[in-house]
Amino acid sequence: MNLNNLSCKSARNICIVKTLAKLGHFPTRTTEKEAWFLSPLRSETQASFSVSLIKNLWFDFGLGRGGNTIDLIMLMKSWSVREVLEYLKNDLESFSFSPPKTEHLLKQAEIRILDVEFIYLQGLIDYLKSRNIPFEIGRKYCRQVWYGCKGKRFFAIGLENHKGGWELRNKYFKTSSSPKTYSLIERESKHLLITEGMFDFLSLATIDEDLVERSDCLILNSLAFLNRIKMLLPNYDKVSLYLDNDLAGKKAADSLLRLFDNITDWSNSYNGYKDLNEKLTSGKSSGK
């Protein structure tokens, strides 16, 4: 396939389930024919968003709408067809044109939180160190989470979201437990910091701990949750954005800047790097 000329026909064939996984959404239940999700288009507690594994089509029963991969991304990100094709073209290697393996979907769906405690395992301390995150910062904001999957027990650094789900990271694996949504740290501040992922947040806390400690902090955990947090932004005098320096991050920042006049985009402070953690691990970070 010519990656520089992605057609609508080819884009429609990109696996919806793997596209959703790339955007931070995983099935709560799967069968041989379909996967069920909490809707990525609205808030809900019971999964009513279905993806046909045979036809590669989605349907949101709460909205009464459905379609293909292009239709879904257009709704999730409020993009045009051209913008969706550009996004898929630039990140094409992350997607698949073949139906997902049911075993992989079940693995995502069966994650169970077994225990949560303060970080003490050397493997996780070393992982924080490899990302240039001081142990004190990691221990302050994250926890050591034991989780079960396919009858086995694993451990990871976990960041809790505001609905009680967990973002889970270790040296070998990146996943999350249900329900998946954004994380919010509230300090009754009028300044809100927004980062895209948990290691972006931990990096910001490492680079400027005073700033983080005197601000409210929101970690998106996926750009798919951008629409869910828009209602929070008018509550703040200042909102500082630290999204990724890629196409998706830039478009997300632009969409917020067009809607709100209290937002400042700080991505230029790590220009030349994909995100805050990449700059931090380069050894060239400095406080603002």
Side-chain angles (χ1 to χ4, degrees):
M1 175 180 298
N2 184 357
L3 302 188
N4 294 318
N5 187 27
L6 181 64
S7 68
C8 287
K9 181 179 179 180
S10 298
R12 283 194 294 267
N13 290 330
I14 291 177
C15 176
I16 292 175
V17 172
K18 291 189 177 180
T19 301
L20 284 168
K22 176 69 176 177
L23 295 170
H25 298 274
F26 302 100
T28 62
R29 176 168 60 90
T30 62
T31 68
E32 291 183 358
K33 296 182 179 181
E34 59 190 359
W36 289 88
F37 295 76
L38 294 173
S39 175
L41 303 173
R42 55 192 172 82
S43 296
E44 64 174 354
T45 57
Q46 298 293 324
S48 63
F49 184 96
S50 173
V51 177
S52 169
L53 304 182
I54 298 173
K55 297 180 180 179
N56 195 39
L57 295 172
W58 62 272
F59 190 82
D60 190 319
F61 285 88
L63 295 178
R65 300 184 64 173
N68 55 47
T69 306
I70 296 176
D71 302 320
L72 179 58
I73 298 180
M74 286 177 65
L75 283 173
M76 289 177 68
K77 296 183 173 291
S78 300
W79 285 353
S80 66
V81 173
R82 181 182 295 274
E83 287 174 317
V84 172
L85 292 177
E86 185 68 20
Y87 170 68
L88 293 174
K89 181 189 75 175
N90 284 333
D91 212 5
L92 197 58
E93 291 182 358
S94 299
F95 297 102
S96 170
F97 290 84
S98 59
K101 295 180 180 179
T102 305
E103 180 182 356
H104 172 71
L105 300 180
L106 289 173
K107 185 176 182 180
Q108 295 289 359
E110 289 179 355
I111 290 176
R112 295 180 297 108
I113 302 301
L114 304 175
D115 197 11
V116 176
E117 51 194 355
F118 285 109
I119 299 171
Y120 65 82
L121 290 175
Q122 191 61 47
L124 296 182
I125 296 172
D126 290 343
Y127 179 53
L128 287 170
K129 185 177 180 180
S130 74
R131 304 292 294 264
N132 272 21
I133 305 298
F135 171 64
E136 294 76 13
I137 295 291
R139 185 180 173 89
K140 182 174 183 178
Y141 294 105
C142 299
R143 292 294 180 263
Q144 180 172 290
V145 179
W146 294 88
Y147 65 96
C149 182
K150 301 292 285 185
K152 296 182 179 180
R153 183 179 171 95
F154 302 93
F155 57 84
I157 293 169
L159 177 71
E160 189 173 14
N161 66 44
H162 84 109
K163 288 188 176 180
W166 290 86
E167 292 297 308
L168 302 167
R169 305 287 187 272
N170 61 37
K171 182 179 179 180
Y172 306 102
F173 203 54
K174 171 182 176 180
T175 189
S176 58
S177 69
S178 296
K180 183 177 175 74
T181 187
Y182 59 88
S183 302
L184 181 61
I185 300 171
E186 295 180 285
R187 296 190 170 96
E188 298 184 356
S189 172
K190 299 303 289 183
H191 186 191
L192 177 67
L193 312 177
I194 300 179
T195 64
E196 192 163 328
M198 63 182 285
F199 272 97
D200 299 314
F201 168 69
L202 294 174
S203 297
L204 185 59
T206 300
I207 294 168
D208 196 337
E209 188 173 6
D210 289 340
L211 173 67
V212 169
E213 288 186 345
R214 65 175 183 264
S215 306
D216 283 10
C217 303
L218 190 151
I219 303 93
L220 284 168
N221 296 324
S222 169
L223 289 178
F225 299 123
L226 203 63
N227 287 331
R228 298 188 187 181
I229 61 98
K230 288 179 180 178
M231 62 181 179
L232 302 175
L233 306 190
N235 299 327
Y236 294 90
D237 294 336
K238 291 196 306 179
V239 176
S240 297
L241 284 183
Y242 299 87
L243 303 185
D244 288 1
N245 273 322
D246 57 12
L247 179 66
K250 289 295 187 184
K251 287 185 177 293
D254 288 344
S255 71
L256 291 178
L257 289 167
R258 287 195 299 267
L259 291 173
F260 304 97
D261 58 10
N262 60 340
I263 294 180
T264 302
D265 180 6
W266 283 93
S267 60
N268 283 338
S269 66
Y270 44 98
N271 191 40
Y273 302 92
K274 179 189 175 185
D275 54 33
L276 271 170
N277 189 246
E278 185 174 284
K279 179 175 181 178
L280 182 65
T281 55
S282 75
K284 300 177 182 178
S285 60
S286 60
K288 291 184 290 297

